[in-house]
Amino acid sequence: MTEDKITGTLVFTVFTATLSSFQFGYDIGVINAPQEVIISHYEYVLGVPLDDRKAINNYTINSTKELPTVPYLGDSIPTSVVEEETTASASLVTMLWSLSVSSFAVGGMIASFCGGWLGDRLGRIKAMLVANILSLAGALLMGFSKLGPSHILIISGRSISGLYCGLISGLVPMYIGEIAPTTLRGALGTLHQLAIVTGILISQIVGLNFILGNHERWHILLGLSAVPAIIQSLLLFFCPESPRYLYIKLDEEVKAKKSLKRLRGGADVTKDINEMRKEKEEASSEQKVSIIQLFTNSNYRQPILVALMLHVAQQFSGINGIFYYSTSIFQTAGISQPVYATIGVGAINMVFTAFSVFLMEKAGRRSLFLIGMSGMFFCAIFMSVGLILLDKLAWMSYVSMVAIFLFVSFFEIGPGPIPWFMVAEFFSQGPRPAALAIAAFSNWTCNFIVALCFQYIAKFCGPYVFFLFAGVVLAFTLFTFFKVPETKGKSFEEIAAEFRKKSSSAKSPKAAVEMEFLGATETV
């Protein structure tokens, strides 16, 4: 069969598209390593050197005799003034740092609605080129932040980078899903997540103190995301436009065939064209599908519910909590440089995402998602047990460490990559942009909620916090088992039929009861 042939053009095109995903991952991870350095720079720019103030405060309390004297100013007055100023300064810097981190997610939430619309308006290639303008603007603001009011420039740059990542979180899976052969759609779709975790890992490595995460070069670290943006902008001119977009949206069959032949290496593209023709006929009969229609139309309601639940499951699984807790657990285990252990987690993250690329077309999406969620359920339990017994049994810290590595591994086998491209598989050309927009928005929103609330939940639950996540993961595992269809090797039409079958089987018992209630039980 020729449809599963991997061509040079296909590899080049997918690589170029996933450079956006790499930037996404880099922007996620880059802010963590230089946190202390950036905070100290904020203090310097604001004229609030907190360490000096605390030192003066301690000196005032412990040795007032050698301080410069002001008549009739008792010890309590300067101490309280300094304490108030220090508290106010600490609150200001904490707020600015919080905005520096969270503004990225806010930007992503806003722009995630626009990715599908922009892709339909300009085409997939031009949309990614326009999005790169945002990436470059954000990178430049952060790259030059050391030369101006750093807190304003970083918060602005992170917001704009968030807008960029919100756009591409819908654009890249949509584009890859449309150019990939049916038998390779899952494996190639996984590369979006692989590029994200690679970006996170690279940002952790170059963010080490002796590389770029120091007082001299931290601004270069933040501005480096401009490099893949520039490279991608140049390479996109050599990438073919999505054949599905050309044929179904623009009615350009000749251009669609030309694009397909480039992607398939000159092979016969009749089967692809026939599939797109059927999809176009369905899309024309469906007319334009809005986000509201996804929930009101019975044909779309079940697919969009499943798509949203997959994204909610990804974010509420506790993966961000694992990363939040990992450094303290590594410290408890006696590792002198926990930052390297955290990089180890990032490496495991990348290796198992790469592993899932090869598994995706063999095991299937649904199976891998179930395996991943089941493994995460048991890892979350062991994680909590390790944390609870840490004071009584020192070796339990190693149980927690192993649980971290296994949790991340299971996450990347299924729940990490699958939601992003499965949404594109659930819907035909008509409703796909709206579905990707709402799915990306739900992912970003859940990401923001977890980032905002996890510290409070962890403080309230203590070491029992991952029992909570275990319960959530179990609920999503059961939902996946009963509601999510397998999409491996199936056309968009076949997947839609699978949903219709599930929907009709769920409704038929109810319909039978209603008919009986209405007295329609006579047989002819």
Side-chain angles (χ1 to χ4, degrees), residues 38 41-42 45 139-155 218-220 222-223:
I38 295 174
H41 191 76
Y42 282 2
V45 169
L140 286 171
L141 283 171
M142 292 187 288
F144 288 105
S145 58
K146 200 173 182 180
L147 305 177
S150 58
H151 50 294
I152 295 172
L153 293 174
I154 289 176
I155 292 168
W218 60 266
H219 60 294
I220 300 173
L222 296 184

Side-chain angles (χ1 to χ4, degrees), residues 116-347:
W117 173 83
L118 192 67
D120 276 354
R121 188 86 174 176
L122 302 177
R124 299 0 178 188
I125 299 294
K126 287 181 182 176
M128 283 190 276
L129 280 168
V130 169
N132 273 335
I133 296 172
L134 291 173
S135 177
L136 287 168
L140 286 171
L141 283 171
M142 292 187 288
F144 288 105
S145 58
K146 200 173 182 180
L147 305 177
S150 58
H151 50 294
I152 295 172
L153 293 174
I154 289 176
I155 292 168
S156 303
R158 291 278 294 170
S159 300
I160 294 170
S161 294
L163 290 171
Y164 164 76
C165 292
L167 288 176
I168 67 96
S169 62
L171 275 173
V172 172
M174 179 166 63
Y175 180 61
I176 292 175
E178 290 177 352
I179 65 172
T182 302
T183 53
L184 293 173
R185 205 165 53 223
L188 294 179
T190 309
L191 295 176
H192 170 66
Q193 180 72 10
L194 177 61
I196 289 174
V197 298
T198 304
I200 293 172
L201 178 62
I202 295 299
S203 71
Q204 290 172 338
I205 292 171
V206 297
L208 290 170
N209 184 265
F210 65 88
I211 302 179
L212 293 177
N214 50 53
H215 287 278
E216 291 77 30
R217 296 187 287 270
W218 60 266
H219 60 294
I220 300 173
L221 176 70
L222 296 184
L224 265 186
S225 59
V227 175
I230 293 168
I231 294 171
Q232 187 194 49
S233 297
L234 295 173
L235 296 181
L236 280 171
F237 288 103
F238 302 98
C239 292
E241 182 54 271
S242 161
R244 277 189 155 74
Y245 170 75
L246 291 170
Y247 187 87
I248 297 170
K249 283 289 177 186
L250 302 184
D251 199 22
E252 299 273 6
E253 185 173 345
V254 175
K255 288 184 179 179
K257 282 182 178 178
K258 185 179 177 183
S259 179
L260 267 174
K261 284 181 178 178
R262 283 183 65 190
L263 290 164
R264 305 291 185 260
D268 183 24
V269 296
T270 307
K271 185 176 179 181
D272 294 277
I273 291 292
N274 288 337
E275 185 185 331
M276 287 190 287
R277 186 174 289 118
K278 288 181 182 177
E279 199 177 328
K280 184 182 178 182
E281 289 170 2
E282 287 186 6
S284 60
S285 63
E286 290 168 349
Q287 300 188 9
K288 192 173 181 181
V289 178
S290 67
I291 289 172
I292 294 172
Q293 286 174 305
L294 288 174
F295 295 96
T296 56
N297 190 314
S298 58
N299 292 327
Y300 306 133
R301 195 180 298 126
Q302 190 174 0
I304 194 63
L305 175 64
V306 171
L308 293 179
M309 290 300 281
L310 288 174
H311 278 275
V312 172
Q314 185 199 69
Q315 289 299 322
F316 284 173
S317 64
I319 188 68
N320 291 327
I322 289 289
F323 281 117
Y324 179 80
Y325 250 91
S326 61
T327 302
S328 62
I329 293 168
F330 292 141
Q331 285 173 336
T332 306
I335 296 175
S336 57
Q337 294 289 339
V339 65
Y340 293 106
T342 303
I343 289 174
V345 172

